[in-house]
Amino acid sequence: MRLLPLVLLLALVGCSLVEDEVPERDETAPIQTDAVRYTAVPGPNQGTYQPYTFDLVARFTNQTDATVYLERGFPDQPQPDYSVRLVSGDGQQTSAFNTILSGVSHDQQIAVAPGETRADTLRLRGPTSWDGRTGEAFGELEGVMELAYFVRACQSERPCATPNSGAVSNVFEVVLD
């Protein structure tokens, strides 16, 4: 009988710890998010699917010795192109917040000097794609994710001396409201 209170206490603490667990921040990542947990809130129903959104502030720091260029789809687009990758799970699923990229050919990418940091407030919306017949969303709306920018060594779209690479953020968790 004396063990029952202890077992109940451990069960409550265990549930609390699992629910409150947040991803560990990688302080060395070139992109730092303003939080490690985001709550995506439902928007107006779009008929066949329910969209969710949340705002994320991303700070990209150029950790190299040379100016780098963040790709953007259009010359006047204020924010760089990005992708949102699902880190948790079995590797078969993707993030429902991953963007569908489009744009035009241009040579006006976003320059970031060595050591410079730029901040972007991104409104992440998902799902970004779904099955046309069933209306089922592609990708996961919840889970541990990371943000990636597309980084180039040259401003134009011509081949660079170094290939395109990516800059990845610390991991963060997305939960639904």
Side-chain angles (χ1 to χ4, degrees):
M1 221 35 172
R2 283 188 252 170
L3 290 177
L4 184 57
L6 180 59
V7 170
L8 287 175
L9 178 64
L10 289 174
L12 288 173
V13 169
C15 290
S16 171
L17 289 175
V18 169
E19 188 172 314
D20 292 338
E21 247 179 59
V22 294
E24 190 174 318
R25 180 181 292 277
D26 176 3
E27 300 288 343
T28 65
I31 302 173
Q32 294 292 314
T33 61
D34 61 326
V36 291
R37 177 180 278 163
Y38 295 92
T39 301
V41 296
N45 195 301
Q46 301 294 308
T48 58
Y49 71 96
Q50 175 66 60
Y52 287 84
T53 61
F54 65 96
D55 290 340
L56 177 150
V57 177
R59 287 179 179 76
F60 169 78
T61 301
N62 178 356
Q63 298 174 341
T64 71
D65 297 349
T67 298
V68 297
Y69 301 89
L70 304 180
E71 291 185 13
R72 58 180 167 181
F74 297 92
D76 59 349
Q77 182 178 316
Q79 299 168 330
D81 288 342
Y82 62 88
S83 68
V84 180
R85 303 173 187 163
L86 184 67
V87 176
S88 59
D90 60 8
Q92 301 299 311
Q93 293 293 323
T94 61
S95 168
F97 296 99
N98 199 20
T99 58
I100 298 173
L101 301 174
S102 64
V104 298
S105 181
H106 65 87
D107 62 356
Q108 297 176 37
Q109 309 306 333
I110 300 169
V112 184
E116 183 181 354
T117 298
R118 67 168 278 125
D120 295 290
T121 300
L122 307 173
R123 170 145 295 175
L124 279 75
R125 184 172 186 268
T128 56
S129 60
W130 56 94
D131 186 304
R133 287 182 301 136
T134 66
E136 187 174 332
F138 292 133
E140 298 293 323
L141 289 163
E142 292 186 287
V144 178
M145 303 183 191
E146 63 187 9
L147 176 76
Y149 284 170
F150 305 99
V151 181
R152 298 179 58 81
C154 59
Q155 191 162 5
S156 71
E157 292 189 349
R158 65 178 166 73
C160 298
T162 59
N164 289 355
S165 64
V168 179
S169 75
N170 57 278
V171 294
F172 54 89
E173 181 181 25
V174 179
V175 296
L176 299 182
D177 185 20

